[in-house]
Amino acid sequence: MAEDKLEQRRYTMPKEADFFRRLEQRHRRGRFGKLFNYFSIAVAGLALIALFFNVVNEAFGTIAVVNSIEPETLTDGRPLADLNKAELATILAEHVGGRLRVLIRNTISQVDIERFTNATVAEIVGDEDVDPAVANELLKAISVERQAGLLARYADQGTLRNLVLEEVIEQQVIASFTLSESLFHFADVKARIEGPILEAYKQANRLDNAKVSVIRFHSWLDSEFLTTPMSSAPALAGVRTALIGSIGLMMVVVTVALPIGVGAAIYLEEYAQQGLVNRLIETNVRNLAGVPSIIYGMLGLAIFVRALAPLTSGLIFHANFDAPTVETVIERIAPAFDGAVSFDEGALRSDSEQLDAQTLARIVEAFLRFGTPSLTMHGNSSVLDMSNALADALEIAVDVTATRANEDHDVEARGAYFRFDVAQNARISDEAYDNLMASLVRVNSFSPNGRTLLSAGLTLALLILPIIIINAQEAIRAVPYTIREASYGLGATRWQTVWKQVLPAALPGIMTGTILSVSRAVGETAPLIVVGAATFLVTDPTSPFSQFTALPIQIYQWTARPQGQFADIAAAAIIVLLALMLALNAAAIFLRNRYSIRF
């Protein structure tokens, strides 16, 4: 009887008062949830506005510039921006003199820094059509005017203008102020610049007659900022190298992570048997998606940088242009033999014997084999191994001593020194041997340790791979099973069904997830620091095996500098990074809307 009454109450409509009371409770909870959503959106919006204001406030503002030489005195009153390349190069030649060769080395030289002093002009500029009068000359042998002509021909106008500002005018930004201070407190800003800031600058540089050349509004973010490499002077620094590095990383990440991630998702969704093993794999994939990025950095350091160094450095492909080659080895070690042994037509020759190309190859292999930084350490075991390898290749005797005899006295060695004596009457002197060892260190200054763009890209690919797998699984799972059944009904195989029907339908979701994952990888800093991204790099990466830097690393390095101007250009770099990430997100939205299929 009691159970019947309970069952009757369960299916009986509540009284009118109870109904409206419960309805009001539900509406109250709904209003509370709605208010909470509005509050969350407002907090997120305020955070974004604060971030945007802070970045823009730093990237624009007022600067105070001090020049050692006023530009008008060099240009007869014309603006520096109106000068052509020849006029800018002439100003450099007139004021920097012998330092012009250093500027050529740092801006337009195409040869290694160690070969620069012995390379011809044609080799330095990398142009066989250079003026024949100087093509085969050493740079130090031609006049300053001709050196200026080389700069005018091979350097771009922006680089020349920056060189004039930095080397001749010696322009310095002694103070910078934010956009808000410039808009609302400009009078106070100007008084501070002309007062205590200028006095502090005079005392620090021991200048009595220095004056502020110009106080002007300045945008740290402009076209030159995007096309200029890193510089130690914040006013002349740019993000070109870091931007190219970030784009290169994205290319490596997409090339590696997309096919592997989609392939894994296809297997897990279409081929794997539903069981304990499959559930364990999917659980681990989801767990890996939440692993901190620094752990992936440590994994990349252990595997790609160290264990797979010959692969990621490009040495096994002979594709690393920074690594030593047979030609560069011959060029560098030939002078060390001091005439006792010479190189002629690709063969190593001496007064009493001729070593064939096979032996020469063994010598070069020994040079390249022990390419580690430890070569610079006297008495290191790697030096001993390398010396023994060279001795075997040259068929010479090795004399290992703890002291080396000098003409006047014995000099105690910090480690073992090695004296090579060529067999059959030919002998390398101690001085020639010292030159040889120095050449070995220079040749092997490139360390095949895998700290390259490829290693960083593979590390970031591992970082986003679980996310791509999960997104691809969801996209494939969203494709109705009726499409598969229809394909099977027409006689298609499982792979034909996946390739022709499932993947095209899931492609918008896969691409959206991939692009959003790559946008996350672009902003990662910790893995790149662990893998070994350069914090100061002025040369653009030319291959996957080059040194690299990236926008997050550049921003991190600038914000660590004590000068206030570096914080300003860091803000400008943040805007560039945000623009890159917004472009990726916009591409994801476009792909989703353009190719989405509704079932």
Side-chain angles (χ1 to χ4, degrees):
M1 181 69 68
E3 293 180 357
D4 293 341
K5 290 182 178 180
L6 181 63
E7 189 71 20
Q8 184 178 5
R9 290 178 60 187
R10 180 179 301 172
Y11 293 101
T12 302
M13 289 292 294
K15 295 181 180 180
E16 184 176 0
D18 292 338
F19 173 78
F20 283 108
R21 179 175 56 80
R22 295 176 185 177
L23 182 63
E24 180 61 25
Q25 289 177 350
R26 290 197 297 270
H27 286 173
R28 192 182 304 116
R29 287 194 295 268
R31 287 193 295 270
F32 176 78
K34 193 174 182 179
L35 289 175
F36 180 78
N37 292 337
Y38 286 153
F39 175 76
S40 301
I41 293 174
V43 171
L46 289 175
L48 289 176
I49 292 173
L51 172 64
F52 183 76
F53 173 78
N54 183 61
V55 172
V56 172
N57 194 40
E58 292 283 348
F60 305 91
T62 299
I63 62 173
V65 178
V66 172
N67 299 325
S68 296
I69 301 176
E70 293 301 324
E72 290 75 13
T73 62
L74 302 174
T75 62
D76 296 329
R78 298 166 57 194
L80 196 64
D82 293 345
L83 301 185
N84 57 36
K85 295 200 297 183
E87 292 171 327
L88 293 170
T90 301
I91 293 175
L92 286 171
E94 292 175 351
H95 291 82
V96 301
R99 296 194 65 251
L100 204 60
R101 293 199 299 271
V102 178
L103 304 183
I104 292 175
R105 183 195 66 188
N106 295 338
T107 54
I108 65 174
S109 176
Q110 303 297 312
V111 300
D112 187 85
I113 188 173
E114 296 164 2
R115 291 186 52 232
F116 179 76
T117 55
N118 295 322
T120 64
V121 171
E123 293 174 329
I124 290 173
V125 299
D127 183 8
E128 297 180 355
D129 297 329
V130 70
D131 186 358
V134 299
N136 297 319
E137 295 287 338
L138 299 180
L139 191 64
K140 60 185 177 182
I142 65 176
S143 64
V144 173
E145 289 74 16
R146 288 185 180 272
Q147 294 176 20
L150 294 175
L151 270 177
R153 178 175 178 180
Y154 295 101
D156 60 83
Q157 189 162 357
T159 300
L160 288 174
R161 185 168 59 251
N162 286 341
L163 287 176
V164 171
L165 289 173
E166 188 173 3
E167 301 293 335
V168 181
I169 298 176
E170 297 181 357
Q171 184 178 94
Q172 296 186 53
V173 178
I174 63 171
S176 63
F177 294 87
T178 62
L179 179 62
S180 59
E181 290 177 317
S182 304
L183 292 177
F184 303 110
H185 306 285
F186 182 75
D188 181 54
V189 166
K190 186 175 181 181
R192 289 170 59 189
I193 291 174
E194 295 176 345
I197 292 177
L198 181 59
E199 289 299 323
Y201 173 78
K202 289 180 179 180
Q203 293 179 5
N205 295 273
R206 297 180 180 179
L207 299 174
D208 297 330
N209 299 322
K211 64 178 181 178
V212 178
S213 299
V214 62
I215 300 174
R216 61 180 172 84
F217 177 81
H218 182 72
S219 169
W220 296 99
L221 179 62
D222 52 20
S223 58
E224 290 188 0
F225 183 72
L226 298 176
T227 57
T228 305
M230 178 59 177
S231 173
S232 58
L236 305 176
V239 293
R240 184 186 72 193
T241 304
L243 184 59
I244 294 175
S246 292
I247 294 174
L249 285 174
M250 289 193 319
M251 295 174 63
V252 174
V253 168
V254 172
T255 303
V256 174
L258 179 60
I260 295 177
V262 174
I266 291 173
Y267 170 77
L268 292 173
E269 287 296 319
E270 301 293 333
Y271 290 92
Q273 299 294 328
Q274 297 299 321
L276 178 62
V277 176
N278 186 43
R279 290 198 300 271
L280 183 62
I281 292 175
E282 291 193 5
T283 301
N284 286 329
V285 169
R286 282 166 170 75
N287 289 337
L288 288 174
V291 172
S293 60
I294 188 70
I295 305 301
Y296 284 99
M298 296 172 63
L299 179 66
L301 176 66
I303 297 178
F304 301 126
V305 174
R306 294 176 178 170
L308 299 180
L311 170 66
T312 54
S313 65
L315 289 183
I316 64 174
F317 304 114
H318 302 286
N320 196 316
F321 299 106
D322 297 327
T325 63
V326 174
E327 290 76 12
T328 58
V329 170
I330 291 176
E331 288 177 359
R332 293 178 183 178
I333 70 174
F337 286 88
D338 196 23
V341 179
S342 61
F343 290 93
D344 184 16
E345 297 180 356
L348 181 63
R349 305 175 185 272
S350 69
D351 296 337
S352 58
E353 61 179 348
Q354 174 178 334
L355 302 180
D356 56 19
Q358 183 178 3
T359 305
L360 177 61
R362 292 169 58 195
I363 298 172
V364 174
E365 181 183 359
F367 273 55
L368 302 181
R369 178 181 175 187
F370 300 100
T372 62
S374 59
L375 288 178
T376 60
M377 300 169 58
H378 288 285
N380 189 277
S381 59
S382 295
V383 177
L384 176 61
D385 294 339
M386 183 186 63
S387 301
N388 291 334
L390 283 172
D392 293 339
L394 288 168
E395 298 180 357
I396 56 181
V398 181
D399 180 19
V400 182
T401 59
T403 60
R404 170 175 293 182
N406 200 331
E407 292 182 358
D408 299 327
H409 56 277
D410 291 341
V411 179
E412 184 178 355
R414 286 178 292 177
Y417 283 88
F418 311 96
R419 179 177 298 166
F420 292 174
D421 293 334
V422 180
Q424 300 181 8
N425 302 324
R427 185 179 185 280
I428 301 177
S429 64
D430 289 346
E431 182 180 0
Y433 167 74
D434 290 341
N435 294 333
L436 175 61
M437 290 302 297
S439 299
L440 285 175
V441 173
R442 289 195 299 271
V443 166
N444 291 284
S445 60
F446 171 80
S447 174
N449 56 11
R451 296 184 182 274
T452 60
L453 187 115
L454 180 61
S455 295
L458 293 174
T459 302
L460 293 179
L462 288 181
L463 172 66
I464 68 171
L465 188 58
I467 304 174
I468 292 179
I469 293 174
I470 295 171
N471 289 333
Q473 279 187 270
E474 296 297 332
I476 293 172
R477 195 176 298 154
V479 178
Y481 197 76
T482 53
I483 292 180
R484 298 174 176 84
E485 291 179 339
S487 180
Y488 293 146
L490 294 174
T493 64
R494 177 175 293 184
W495 173 246
Q496 288 174 330
T497 300
V498 170
W499 183 252
K500 296 291 186 179
Q501 302 298 327
V502 177
L503 270 183
L507 188 61
I510 293 174
M511 295 306 298
T512 300
T514 300
I515 293 175
L516 293 177
S517 301
V518 172
S519 67
R520 176 198 169 181
V522 169
E524 287 291 345
T525 307
L528 300 182
I529 294 176
V530 176
V531 170
T535 57
F536 188 93
L537 190 66
V538 296
T539 57
D540 300 333
T542 56
S543 73
F545 310 110
S546 300
Q547 281 187 311
F548 75 100
T549 188
L551 282 171
I553 297 294
Q554 199 73 80
I555 293 169
Y556 168 77
Q557 195 266 342
W558 279 338
T559 53
R561 294 288 192 94
Q563 298 93 328
Q565 289 77 36
F566 279 108
D568 298 332
I569 60 175
I574 290 173
I575 294 177
V576 175
L577 181 59
L578 288 175
L580 182 61
M581 297 181 69
L582 288 175
L584 290 173
N585 292 338
I589 295 173
F590 171 78
L591 289 175
R592 183 184 63 194
N593 295 334
R594 176 68 176 81
Y595 297 103
S596 61
I597 300 176
R598 302 186 183 278
F599 302 101

